């Protein structure tokens, strides 16, 4: 049993309370490799932004949960080396799907876990979430839960269509589970294809897809029911069209990729939404940079020569999200 406190991590409690009161959101960036983690830490240290490092099922399969946990411990030291005296870094399990998995993360030094039982019937979601909360809270580890179903693929949970969170359920759910934050469904979804072309209109000038707006009415109703309670948005990549264009111009094929417009995320960040999950945008930044090097310098075979530019591009993206979208810069001086 290792406590996250011994390795310099923090849980989300205080961070979220400040973010809700201050009208900004904390970035939750997924990581599964060194370059991504370096870019996240460099961006957070430079902007003095609190940050959540999240580990998904895919990341665990790819990189190994133990290795990722030790990378996070290294990240705390790296942040200090970069001159960030008091780094506020959370190590979070993304989309945990069982009590045993959540427990293993608590036991090995994660400071926050998500139990995603949103695909289960309501009462079963409550029971499993409460079981995780009861265990995690013994060690002061915070717990994110989810109500409502996002469209698309939630890791291995496939939902044909989204079911917005029902505001009439949130008080009962939060009270009976004791969860610390709640992921809700208001129209976001995972991946780089968040909407089908038939759900969108097209900008006549650019020909680009314009997605339907998020269900802010549902968000506001939830906020009214649970004043000040931390709300989380998954599936919040914006799918920057510059990256899609670079990828497509350099041998890739991402037709009609579309994300959540940044203005809408900015608006959400001003509300009780205090954690915004971004993974796909970082994948796009990395892929765009790597494809460009491969296309322009076909003789290059030193991975540092293409992973280095990929890291720089991800860092630029993370800084942009922190400063221009979430507003978390300077909140962890
Ligand atoms: O939950 C959403 C993550 O972006 C899933 O990522 O492919 O690493 O499991 P994954
Ligand atoms: P995106 O696919 O929109 O980046 O969402 C990531 C996410 O929600 C991770 O849990
Ligand atoms: Zn997610």
């Amino acid at each position: 049993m290792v406590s996250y406190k011994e390795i310099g991590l923090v849980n989300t409690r205080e961070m979220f309370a400040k973010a809700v009161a201050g009208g900004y959101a904390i970035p939750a960036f997924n990581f599964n490799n060194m370059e991504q983690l370096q870019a996240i830490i460099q961006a957070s240290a430079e902007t003095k932004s609190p940050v959540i490092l999240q580990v998904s099922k895919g990341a665990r399969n790819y990189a190994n949960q133990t290795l990722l946990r030790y990378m996070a411990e290294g990240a705390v030291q790296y942040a200090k080396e970069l001159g960030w005296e008091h780094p506020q870094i959370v190590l979070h399990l993304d989309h945990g799907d069982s009590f045993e998995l959540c427990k293993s993360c608590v036991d090995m030094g994660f400071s926050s876990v998500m139990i995603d039982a949103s695909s289960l019937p309501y009462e079963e979601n409550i029971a499993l979430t409460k079981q995780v909360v009861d265990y995690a809270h013994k060690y002061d580890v915070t717990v994110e839960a989810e109500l409502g179903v996002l469209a698309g693929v939630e890791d291995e949970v496939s939902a044909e269509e989204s079911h917005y969170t029902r505001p009439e359920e949130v008080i009962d759910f939060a009270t009976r589970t004791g969860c610390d934050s709640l992921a809700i469904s208001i129209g976001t979804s995972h991946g780089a294809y968040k909407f089908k072309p038939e759900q969108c209109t097209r900008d006549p000038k650019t020909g680009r897809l314009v997605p339907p707006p998020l269900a802010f009415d549902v968000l506001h109703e939830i906020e009214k029911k649970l004043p000040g309670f931390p709300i989380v948005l998954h599936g919040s990549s914006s799918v920057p069209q510059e990256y899609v264009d670079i990828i497509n111009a350099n041998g890739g094929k991402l037709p009609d990729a579309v994300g959540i417009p940044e203005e809408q995320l900015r608006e959400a960040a001003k509300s009780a939404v205090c954690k915004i999950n971004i993974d796909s945008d970082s994948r796009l930044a990395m892929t765009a940079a790597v494809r460009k090097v491969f296309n322009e310098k076909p003789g290059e075979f030193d991975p540092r020569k293409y992973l280095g530019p990929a890291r720089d591009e991800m860092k630029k993206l993370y800084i942009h999200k922190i400063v221009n979208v979430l507003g978390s810069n300077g909140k962890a001086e």
Side-chain angles (χ1 to χ4, degrees), residues 30 54 94-95 189-191 194 234-237 277-280:
N30 290 72
Q54 16 186 59
D94 194 22
H95 295 285
S189 62
H190 294 104
K194 299 196 186 297
H234 281 250
S236 296
S237 276
N277 287 11
I278 296 170
D279 186 1
S280 298

Side-chain angles (χ1 to χ4, degrees), residues 4 24 49 60 68 85 91 125 174 181 187 204 218 229 238 313:
Y4 67 87
Y24 60 92
S49 167
R60 292 194 307 280
L68 292 169
E85 243 180 285
L91 177 61
N125 186 353
S181 59
V218 175
F229 193 82
S238 297
E313 199 54 57

Side-chain angles (χ1 to χ4, degrees), residues 41 45 74-87:
I41 296 301
V76 175
Q77 298 311 316
Y78 179 48
K80 289 183 183 166
E81 256 180 48
L82 291 174
W84 192 9
E85 243 180 285
H86 305 291

Side-chain angles (χ1 to χ4, degrees), residues 24-29 43 47 49-51 194 235-243 259-263 265-266 269 276-285 313-329:
Y24 60 92
I26 313 291
F29 296 131
T47 57
S49 167
V51 70
K194 299 196 186 297
S236 296
S237 276
S238 297
V239 187
Q241 293 300 305
E242 313 84 83
Y243 291 145
I260 310 296
E262 288 184 339
E263 313 79 71
L265 296 170
R266 215 173 290 134
I276 291 192
N277 287 11
I278 296 170
D279 186 1
S280 298
D281 284 356
S282 150
R283 299 178 183 194
L284 291 167
E313 199 54 57
M314 288 189 282
K315 178 181 173 186
K316 234 169 69 188
L317 169 87
Y318 294 134
I319 291 180
H320 165 68
K321 296 286 178 184
I322 288 168
V323 174
N324 301 319
V325 185
L326 310 193
S328 58
N329 47 308

